[in-house]
Amino acid sequence: MLSKYPLSDVEKAFLAESGVEKISTLIPYLMVDNFPKLGLLTACRFLEWVAANPQGVISLPTGKTPEFFIKWTQYLLENWESKKGKEIREKYGLGAIKKPVLKDLTFVQIDEFYPISSKQHNSFFDYVNKFYINGFGLSKENAILINSDEIPLAEGKHFSEIFPDLKVDLSLRFRDPINELEKLQQKSIYMIDQWCGDYEQRIRDKGGIGFFLGGIGPDGHIAFNTRGSHLFSVTRLTETNFETQAVAAGDLGGIEVSANRLVITIGLDTIVYNKDAVGIIIAAGEAKAGIVKDSLETPMNNVYPATVLQKLQNGRFYLTKGAAVKLTDSMDAYYQQGEWTFEKTERAVIDLCKKLNKYGHRLKIEDLKADRYCKLIPGLSEDTVNQVMKSVEGKLAKGLEQETDQVVLHTGPHHDDISLGILPHITNQLHEPSNEAHFSVLTSGFTAVTNTFVIDTLLHTKKLLDEGKIQMVNYDDFFQVGYSLKTDKDVYHYLTNVASENADARKRGLAHRVVRALVIIWEIKNKTQLRETINDVISILRNSYDGEKNPSKIQKLKGMIREFEEELVWAHFGVQVKNVHHLRLGFYTGDIFTEQPDKTRDVEPIVEMFRKIKPTKISLTLDPEGSGPDTHYKVLQATAAAVKKWGEEHDTSQLRIIGYRNVWFKFEPHEANVIVPVSLGDMSVMEDSFANCYLSQVNASFPSYSHNGKFSTVAKRTWVGQLNDIQLLLGKNYFYLHERAKVRASHGLIFFRDMNVDEFLATARELEKSIEGML
């Protein structure tokens, strides 16, 4: 037995398939290859438990994490006796089990924002009803749910009357109210607290939760029990921390909303109250690897809320390989299994520098021999560290090479991905006149534009129209053909006013492009219709709740604003609008679960772009496990399929693929084979172009959980951190005494992977396999 805890038949089957030979963590875990497989494992275990506990109490997660759990559960229930269904059941320990009946289960809602209308599609109440109560055929009568509209408040009033700005001031629990409204609010807060206690009691009266499934946040939160939550915490109304607010921003329409919204959440003790409960945390992608390691290898501690699962004999983590990559078990397996590669030597030596905080040239052979992994290096000698240093110097030399006569196509899932990933590398390419550069963002990116930004922009556009400052609408042919001409002029006009620091004229440049977009989308024929359309859009957005899915025409308008921003960035370097390609792939819909890429709809446009441009180099985000937004993961699938298809009709033997990463996910030094120096000047260009061009993003409505501000700052910090790692190996002198000015000027580094087509497709093939036969 690999674990001191007994495993179910499903768990035994997946453990055997995983090849894991040792589990030494404080909570047992199972590991699978990829995100879809994680859904299959979880669905099988859930159905196995339900079959044995048809009247049990379950609590299941919301958000994007359970996408494949939901899909696989429904698939297996619908195909229990089909050939494919039986094959899956036989393979994964469900062969002897009768089809489970879910209708008598009691469902417990884990958490909810407060206050939020239960009618809103971004409320967890709506999600639970749609995907679990209706989707799984559960009993509504048995369900224990959190409906903000029905939680009683003072004088029988609705939350919109008691908390008119939707803000709940919890200091009223401890201070005197200063007016009549605050008196009502204080009384209401006490009533909500009482309701939470009753909610907890209803769960305990049922014997507690029997099957709990949850995700884990970047700070380690499970449910909304953020870092520091008491291990004996119960259902309560509480504030959240920044990391949690950043993650919730996508659901609620921006950090401006999520930062001011409280939550009602079950507590850590609620989760483990039933000592026989199955408690499972699921995590996918390397971005979660650090918090997974801390949660699994740390004794129970309120800094890592998930450590509370140590109380359960059936507490488990289900992980993808990426999420498990930092576990001591995974590190041991990496170094001890399979052939020894130079990559392993690099990783061991660089990690040792960091562990000991010692420069490479100061590492002694004794240090290497005393290290858990360096001691395994074949032929370990005084020269080992020098070999690693030479290898890294070689990667830096590659990053300094001047490319010529290249047709480069830089691609990104979202607007700003390319810039945040490799802008300093791109500027090197653009300075060489024999290179031709193209840029393509593969999705519309409309979800990153807030309603408030569009309303403000349209109000300003209307004002400029009233003042006669958008003169192009007065030309006779503007609404017939003029709207589609001179788009480069919009860009040039805008950037001229960046240079002259004329903010009003910049806004006018944006208004020009917004007018063109309105005419295209709504097929506007005259100035009266233009004004009516602007008023209509403002009205629709003002009457929408934050985070609501917009009508398709407004989605398109938001996307075209982002496309203009992208054109502005590359125009900094003289790239024309015609070289910036907007693909708007169809899988990107703004729904909670976007579709898988489709061969005709999503792959063919990319192939067509390859045919036209005939690139010799293609850059793309290499995020094979969906560690960042799932759009990255899906765009990678579509791009890999397109490269493969193009290869059937075009000689791609010389094509190079550049895999980069950015603010969501980064390469470790041993994973990259090219290192590009980044100067302070490079950083300034990136920061300035971001702030001046990505107007819809400057206020960081959807920030990274690692920084409450612009993504450009996160990118800069990543580059600086990467320099620190390499400086520790090579020494600071290497940089400031280097013969090349570019290296002497470096205060950051970019890592990326340069691959041929076969190497890239080998990476992507794993991804392709993970989706095959998928629902």
Side-chain angles (χ1 to χ4, degrees):
M1 184 64 67
L2 293 177
S3 156
K4 62 182 176 178
Y5 297 114
L7 301 177
S8 77
D9 288 345
V10 165
E11 290 177 324
K12 285 173 187 169
F14 277 92
L15 180 62
E17 187 178 81
S18 72
V20 170
E21 294 179 3
K22 180 181 73 171
I23 296 177
S24 63
T25 49
L26 296 170
I27 302 165
Y29 63 89
L30 288 173
M31 189 170 73
V32 293
D33 287 341
N34 51 61
F35 190 34
K37 192 72 169 278
L38 187 65
L40 176 60
L41 160 60
T42 315
C44 289
R45 180 67 185 106
F46 171 64
L47 292 172
E48 179 185 40
W49 184 88
V50 173
N53 301 273
Q55 294 182 311
V57 180
I58 63 170
S59 199
L60 305 174
T62 51
K64 293 199 174 195
T65 306
E67 175 180 3
F68 289 109
F69 161 69
I70 291 168
K71 286 179 176 174
W72 273 119
T73 300
Q74 289 173 330
Y75 179 86
L76 288 168
L77 287 171
E78 287 163 14
N79 294 274
W80 198 261
E81 296 300 339
S82 74
K83 184 169 179 289
K84 172 92 185 286
K86 280 181 176 173
E87 280 173 14
I88 292 170
R89 290 198 293 114
E90 291 289 343
K91 187 174 180 183
Y92 293 118
L94 290 172
I97 288 177
K98 268 206 255 174
K99 183 178 174 181
V101 177
L102 278 63
K103 68 179 178 60
D104 295 324
L105 294 167
T106 295
F107 184 93
V108 173
Q109 186 174 333
I110 293 176
D111 48 24
E112 182 59 282
F113 301 110
Y114 188 85
I116 189 170
S117 168
S118 59
K119 297 176 187 69
Q120 288 184 202
H121 293 308
N122 58 346
S123 72
F124 291 156
F125 180 85
D126 182 84
Y127 182 110
V128 161
N129 276 281
K130 180 177 179 182
F131 292 110
Y132 294 135
I133 307 294
N134 298 328
F136 285 7
L138 303 177
S139 159
K140 258 188 188 161
E141 293 69 41
N142 287 355
I144 301 174
L145 303 178
I146 306 170
N147 182 337
S148 292
D149 292 308
E150 293 180 359
I151 296 174
L153 302 176
E155 297 183 359
K157 294 190 174 186
H158 187 258
F159 67 68
S160 56
E161 299 171 276
I162 301 287
F163 306 109
D165 57 0
L166 303 182
K167 292 180 185 174
V168 181
D169 181 0
L170 290 185
S171 73
L172 282 165
R173 280 182 178 147
F174 316 110
R175 66 174 175 84
D176 288 338
I178 57 171
N179 54 40
E180 288 306 310
L181 180 61
E182 281 203 349
K183 281 181 187 172
L184 287 176
Q185 289 176 339
Q186 184 184 64
K187 189 177 177 188
S188 295
I189 289 168
Y190 292 148
M191 290 175 75
I192 297 167
D193 290 342
Q194 178 62 43
W195 183 91
C196 289
D198 294 344
Y199 189 87
E200 180 77 20
Q201 193 59 52
R202 287 171 70 195
I203 298 168
R204 295 192 177 210
D205 287 347
K206 291 271 187 183
I209 295 164
F211 186 96
F212 172 85
L213 177 65
I216 187 165
D219 69 322
H221 73 251
I222 54 173
F224 274 127
N225 295 287
T226 55
R227 185 179 54 245
S229 294
H230 203 291
L231 294 173
F232 291 95
S233 55
V234 293
T235 304
R236 64 206 184 279
L237 174 69
T238 184
E239 295 168 327
T240 56
N241 55 16
F242 169 72
E243 294 102 321
T244 306
Q245 291 159 10
V247 172
D251 293 315
L252 291 177
I255 190 81
E256 303 87 346
V257 183
S258 61
N260 291 308
R261 203 62 59 92
L262 300 189
V263 294
I264 291 173
T265 180
I266 63 173
L268 295 174
D269 200 52
T270 320
I271 294 168
V272 299
Y273 173 73
N274 177 351
K275 295 307 167 210
D276 296 322
V278 170
I280 299 169
I281 300 294
I282 50 176
E286 285 190 33
K288 292 278 173 72
I291 192 62
V292 164
K293 176 183 169 68
D294 291 332
S295 300
L296 283 175
E297 297 184 0
T298 307
M300 258 192 288
N301 187 313
N302 67 345
V303 176
Y304 302 114
T307 56
V308 77
L309 289 194
Q310 289 171 34
K311 291 183 176 184
L312 295 179
Q313 190 173 20
N314 293 308
R316 304 281 187 271
F317 267 58
Y318 289 173
L319 308 168
T320 64
K321 275 186 177 166
V325 76
K326 289 188 178 174
L327 293 176
T328 303
D329 291 344
S330 297
M331 296 286 285
D332 286 350
Y334 169 81
Y335 284 111
Q336 290 164 8
Q337 294 172 13
E339 67 167 315
W340 189 275
T341 60
F342 190 72
E343 185 187 276
K344 291 183 181 182
T345 301
E346 269 191 337
R347 182 178 183 181
V349 169
I350 293 170
D351 283 353
L352 182 60
C353 288
K354 289 199 277 190
K355 268 184 245 171
L356 301 181
N357 197 26
K358 243 185 187 184
Y359 289 115
H361 63 272
R362 293 204 175 134
L363 283 181
K364 296 185 168 56
I365 190 73
E366 293 76 30
D367 295 324
L368 277 74
K369 285 178 177 173
D371 181 64
R372 183 181 185 121
Y373 303 127
C374 286
K375 69 182 179 187
L376 304 175
I377 297 170
L380 184 63
S381 72
E382 301 278 359
D383 195 42
T384 299
V385 177
N386 287 332
Q387 290 169 4
V388 173
M389 290 165 84
K390 282 198 182 77
S391 168
V392 171
E393 286 172 27
K395 295 178 185 186
L396 268 160
K398 273 193 194 169
L400 291 165
E401 285 173 8
Q402 186 62 57
E403 298 165 298
T404 57
D405 301 304
Q406 299 294 323
V407 179
V408 191
L409 170 61
H410 292 291
T411 73
H414 305 94
H415 307 82
D416 73 24
D417 275 329
I418 307 168
S419 170
L420 294 169
I422 47 172
L423 181 61
H425 175 61
I426 293 169
T427 55
N428 292 344
Q429 294 171 330
L430 291 171
H431 289 152
E432 168 50 52
S434 69
N435 292 332
E436 178 188 328
H438 293 259
F439 300 86
S440 179
V441 177
L442 302 188
T443 71
S444 164
F446 57 79
T447 57
V449 182
T450 62
N451 291 350
T452 305
F453 180 84
V454 177
I455 291 168
D456 291 347
T457 301
L458 289 176
L459 287 171
H460 190 70
T461 301
K462 202 162 68 158
K463 177 173 175 282
L464 293 173
L465 283 166
D466 289 343
E467 293 169 354
K469 289 182 178 170
I470 300 183
Q471 292 151 350
M472 64 184 183
V473 298
N474 298 319
Y475 297 149
D476 292 340
D477 67 345
F478 177 75
F479 291 98
Q480 287 72 49
V481 67
Y483 67 85
S484 64
L485 307 174
K486 298 189 177 177
T487 48
D488 279 304
K489 187 181 175 187
D490 292 345
V491 170
Y492 190 78
H493 170 85
Y494 182 98
L495 292 181
T496 297
N497 289 294
V498 168
S500 63
E501 299 185 358
N502 186 336
D504 287 342
R506 282 210 301 272
K507 281 187 184 171
R508 190 171 148 226
L510 173 61
H512 270 77
R513 181 56 72 89
V514 165
V515 167
R516 294 184 195 277
L518 290 164
V519 173
I520 290 166
I521 298 164
W522 276 271
E523 298 178 357
I524 292 168
K525 301 301 179 198
N526 53 55
K527 285 193 276 187
T528 305
Q529 200 185 341
L530 175 62
R531 183 174 302 282
E532 286 169 357
T533 304
I534 290 173
N535 287 334
D536 285 348
V537 174
I538 291 170
S539 173
I540 290 167
L541 291 176
R542 278 184 171 158
N543 290 308
S544 301
Y545 56 80
D546 291 307
E548 183 174 359
K549 187 179 175 182
N550 298 129
S552 60
K553 285 187 175 180
I554 294 179
Q555 286 182 345
K556 194 168 182 183
L557 175 63
K558 286 183 170 185
M560 289 178 81
I561 288 170
R562 295 232 66 194
E563 289 166 1
F564 178 55
E565 293 174 343
E566 194 71 13
E567 290 167 11
L568 292 172
V569 170
W570 304 119
H572 270 67
F573 310 99
V575 176
Q576 291 181 287
V577 168
K578 68 182 175 65
N579 280 28
V580 184
H581 310 272
H582 309 298
L583 258 56
R584 306 176 188 168
L585 296 185
F587 77 81
Y588 187 87
T589 57
D591 293 316
I592 180 81
F593 301 144
T594 55
E595 298 169 40
Q596 292 302 320
D598 175 82
K599 283 194 168 71
T600 307
R601 182 193 61 198
D602 300 312
V603 176
E604 194 52 43
I606 306 176
V607 179
E608 191 51 43
M609 181 171 65
F610 292 165
R611 287 180 188 131
K612 279 184 189 159
I613 296 169
K614 295 189 173 54
T616 58
K617 281 196 167 199
I618 298 169
S619 76
L620 45 80
T621 50
L622 199 63
D623 190 3
E625 260 203 9
S627 304
D630 67 343
T631 307
H632 287 210
Y633 180 73
K634 289 170 180 173
V635 161
L636 184 60
Q637 289 178 54
T639 308
V643 168
K644 202 171 168 186
K645 188 167 182 193
W646 191 44
E648 291 165 8
E649 60 189 64
H650 176 87
D651 178 11
T652 55
S653 58
Q654 300 304 305
L655 178 67
R656 304 300 300 178
I657 308 286
I658 303 301
Y660 66 87
R661 291 178 179 165
N662 55 34
V663 297
W664 299 106
F665 189 34
K666 57 182 191 254
F667 283 118
E668 294 300 325
H670 65 276
E671 296 176 301
N673 58 11
V674 181
I675 298 177
V676 178
V678 181
S679 68
L680 284 174
D682 292 328
M683 291 180 196
S684 296
V685 168
M686 193 264 295
E687 286 260 52
D688 288 351
S689 63
F690 190 96
N692 288 320
C693 302
Y694 293 120
L695 290 179
S696 66
Q697 307 306 301
V698 170
N699 291 332
S701 292
F702 304 97
S704 159
Y705 57 79
S706 64
H707 173 63
N708 190 2
K710 301 194 301 286
F711 279 132
S712 51
T713 308
V714 184
K716 193 167 80 169
R717 286 179 180 175
T718 300
W719 298 345
V720 171
Q722 290 175 171
L723 172 72
N724 290 342
D725 287 352
I726 299 304
Q727 266 189 348
L728 207 46
L729 176 72
L730 299 182
K732 288 184 178 174
N733 306 14
Y734 174 85
F735 288 88
Y736 67 76
L737 297 176
H738 200 276
E739 61 189 28
R740 293 281 296 270
K742 183 83 182 155
V743 180
R744 292 197 299 275
S746 58
H747 291 279
L749 296 174
I750 289 173
F751 297 164
F752 63 79
R753 194 185 296 166
D754 184 331
M755 301 167 281
N756 62 31
V757 168
D758 289 342
E759 288 167 330
F760 167 60
L761 290 179
T763 304
R765 204 161 288 127
E766 288 306 308
L767 188 64
E768 198 177 16
K769 273 196 300 195
S770 76
I771 306 297
E772 273 171 15
M774 195 52 214
L775 327 176

